[in-house]
Amino acid sequence: MLAFIPRTRPWLGCLRSMRAGARGFSSTVRVCSDVVQETLVPREKIRNIAIIAHVDHGKTTLVDQLLRQSGTIKQLSATEQALFTPTSSAASNITADSAIDNGFITRVMDSNDLERERGITILSKCTSIIYNGNLINIVDTPGHADFGGEVERVLSMVDGVALVVDATEGPMTQTRFVLSKALSRGLRPLVVLNKADRPTARPAQVESDLFDLFAILGATDEQADYPLLYASAKQGWAQPTPPTPSPSGDLVPSTSPTATPSMAPLFDLILTHVPPPMHLDRTRPFSMLTVQIESDPYVGMLYVGRIHSGILRVGDVLWALDAEGQKVGEGKVKKIFARKGLERIEKDAAGAGEI
């Protein structure tokens, strides 16, 4: 995310121009000064992944758990909970749709009022977490068909997708749509069968339906050989084997007596299955495809996207190019931001692979 100050006069300095794709911003690395390397995240330590699914299959709840268990968001104290004002969509303080659940604010990625009121994700949003020294950028996407364009735009920022499917309902209409977009971009999905703790779950049939859907959509052998996890985003666990019935008849995670059920298997799978953006070259001129434009009353225009090449730092001059590569604007980078949980972190430099 970068803040952009429009300029009217060309700036020559140490920059060369470069053609890029539609809505791209392009400049080159400064030749006459060194970039502050210590602020750059090594490419091998970056994972960019989108969470895609049909509406109400548990994407946002899953992201909530990833943020909690990575330590990115804190658990509120009793005093902080008492002072917290719930949104109008909060039903009670004990359900998964509540404003606070077990001391944590729920649906943290659904930030605007309409999303809170309707209980659905409308706009794609990016956040990041640190897990075992790795930076995982997570893009939460809408599952409603009316907002499918949001999914198409953000897939250019990621190197992998987590397809979340309800273990009872199975693949639905939007599941087919978002999966087809991911497969057409050559992404290798990992599959999460969510709500596997429900008595109505039918994982065997849903797995069969999923494999058929991959075949119908023309997935390659590599894409069809997807890893699968069983999960309960509400309870906060994921595992590679189906849950087992307890003496009471409830389905519980199949962990050893000494192990605590958690999202660690999903974190580990993301690190092993999603490739780092090693194909993006930081020695080339800077370019970035803008997928979202925001505004800040204090900073100005904010352009969100993944850096496709080069290194960017505060003070660089950028050119805005149209689909034909023609210059349509010019500006200077005022601030560079990355996300950590709900916070916007200011940086002085960012390199290819970072969002």
Side-chain angles (χ1 to χ4, degrees):
M1 182 182 298
L2 59 93
F4 184 68
I5 305 177
R7 294 165 60 100
T8 56
R9 295 182 60 188
W11 186 88
L12 301 178
C14 304
L15 300 181
R16 301 171 304 179
S17 63
M18 162 194 169
R19 291 199 169 192
R23 294 187 298 170
F25 287 85
S26 177
S27 78
T28 63
V29 183
R30 297 192 181 216
V31 183
C32 55
S33 60
D34 295 329
V35 175
V36 184
Q37 293 291 338
E38 55 266 21
T39 65
L40 302 179
V41 181
R43 288 175 300 168
E44 62 272 12
K45 295 288 187 179
I46 300 175
R47 300 294 187 277
N48 298 316
I49 186 170
I51 311 293
I52 60 176
H54 186 79
V55 64
D56 202 32
H57 278 201
K59 299 182 309 301
T60 302
T61 306
L62 185 68
V63 174
D64 281 348
Q65 286 291 347
L66 295 178
L67 290 172
R68 294 181 194 182
Q69 296 191 24
S70 65
T72 306
I73 59 175
K74 70 171 185 175
Q75 188 173 19
L76 300 180
S77 65
T79 302
E80 290 172 324
Q81 291 183 51
L83 296 175
F84 181 80
T85 302
T87 62
S88 58
S89 63
S92 69
N93 60 1
I94 57 174
T95 66
D97 294 327
S98 302
I100 295 181
D101 176 35
N102 195 29
F104 291 98
I105 300 175
T106 63
R107 293 173 52 213
V108 294
M109 298 293 284
D110 290 344
S111 53
N112 68 55
D113 294 338
L114 185 59
E115 289 178 318
R116 289 284 186 175
E117 178 184 350
R118 299 298 183 183
I120 60 174
T121 301
I122 297 176
L123 301 175
S124 296
K125 306 171 198 68
C126 180
T127 187
S128 63
I129 61 177
I130 301 295
Y131 180 74
N132 288 348
N134 296 277
L135 174 67
I136 303 177
N137 291 315
I138 301 173
V139 183
D140 187 21
T141 64
H144 198 283
D146 291 345
F147 312 111
E150 288 286 314
V151 180
E152 293 185 75
R153 281 195 293 273
V154 301
L155 288 181
S156 65
M157 295 198 299
V158 300
D159 302 298
V161 294
L163 178 66
V164 181
V165 181
D166 190 304
T168 300
E169 293 185 352
M172 302 292 283
T173 306
Q174 191 68 356
T175 310
R176 180 188 182 110
F177 174 80
V178 296
L179 179 60
S180 66
K181 296 301 179 183
L183 295 178
S184 65
R185 295 192 66 89
L187 301 176
R188 295 175 55 221
L190 62 90
V191 177
V192 179
L193 287 189
N194 193 28
K195 306 181 184 180
D197 58 314
R198 292 187 173 182
T200 56
R202 48 189 188 98
Q205 182 60 47
V206 171
E207 287 181 50
S208 177
D209 294 343
L210 264 177
F211 187 81
D212 291 344
L213 180 60
F214 271 77
I216 292 172
L217 295 177
T220 64
D221 292 342
E222 187 179 36
Q223 290 173 324
D225 187 21
Y226 52 84
L228 185 143
L229 291 178
Y230 305 85
S232 171
K234 182 179 178 180
Q235 295 185 6
W237 55 263
Q239 62 182 34
T241 57
T244 56
S246 67
S248 62
D250 297 328
L251 295 176
V252 295
S254 309
T255 56
S256 63
T258 58
T260 302
S262 70
M263 285 290 177
L266 179 54
F267 283 123
D268 295 334
L269 183 58
I270 291 174
L271 294 181
T272 57
H273 186 72
V274 179
M278 300 302 294
H279 61 290
L280 303 181
D281 190 356
R282 290 183 174 178
T283 64
R284 297 181 57 202
F286 167 81
S287 66
M288 184 186 88
L289 183 67
T290 302
V291 298
Q292 288 181 342
I293 300 178
E294 303 174 3
S295 63
D296 185 279
Y298 302 102
V299 178
M301 298 299 293
L302 300 175
Y303 297 85
V304 184
R306 181 172 73 165
I307 299 177
H308 283 261
S309 63
I311 295 174
L312 176 72
R313 67 176 182 180
V314 175
D316 281 351
V317 174
L318 306 181
W319 286 5
L321 307 178
D322 61 16
E324 286 72 37
Q326 301 299 315
K327 177 182 174 182
V328 295
E330 182 178 341
K332 183 178 180 180
V333 179
K334 185 177 180 181
K335 291 182 182 293
I336 302 174
F337 295 107
R339 287 280 187 180
K340 182 180 180 183
L342 303 179
E343 299 177 355
R344 189 185 290 167
I345 306 299
E346 188 172 347
K347 305 182 61 175
D348 54 3
E354 297 187 63
I355 297 177

